[in-house]
Amino acid sequence: MKLRPLQDRIIVKRLEEESKTAGGIFIPETAKEKPQKGEVVAVGNGKKTEDGKIVPIDVKAGDKVLFGKYAGTEIKIEGEEFLIMREDDILGIME
């Protein structure tokens, strides 16, 4: 991908959820909610403080993250859907 986010923004690709419940029932595409998990694809340099210093971002490309249900802005690049969000929208890193 040839897109680099600015400042404290992060580009995330949603991870697909399981289409089958624990009990073995398949969930149709129309009934599924959008997943709140994703993989970081690209990261900006960090947020600038008032005195001009840059505070680095805690996540890096390849990290699996959790984010809020309505976090970020959906964008489409080369036919693929991504989310662009601020570092504050990320709730945690999955290990």
Side-chain angles (χ1 to χ4, degrees):
M1 177 184 348
K2 302 215 183 232
L3 179 65
R4 184 178 55 91
L6 298 176
Q7 295 185 356
D8 66 332
R9 289 184 177 81
I10 299 166
I11 298 177
V12 176
K13 181 175 174 92
R14 286 187 196 263
L15 295 176
E16 293 299 318
E17 291 285 327
E18 286 286 325
S19 61
K20 186 168 72 168
T21 65
I25 299 172
F26 285 94
I27 302 170
E29 289 292 320
T30 55
K32 281 201 254 183
E33 289 187 20
K34 290 190 176 182
Q36 295 173 321
K37 295 185 236 179
E39 182 175 350
V40 177
V41 177
V43 178
N45 292 333
K47 191 170 191 168
K48 278 190 180 178
T49 60
E50 290 180 13
D51 58 348
K53 294 180 182 174
I54 295 178
V55 178
I57 296 180
D58 291 332
V59 297
K60 60 187 179 308
D63 285 348
K64 304 248 188 298
V65 295
L66 295 172
F67 49 86
K69 192 172 199 171
Y70 302 107
T73 303
E74 292 183 357
I75 58 173
K76 201 169 205 177
I77 302 170
E78 299 173 0
E80 290 190 74
E81 289 187 12
F82 296 94
L83 284 171
I84 188 163
M85 62 181 72
R86 292 193 176 272
E87 182 182 25
D88 295 344
D89 293 335
I90 292 181
L91 304 174
I93 300 173
M94 299 185 316
E95 295 181 356

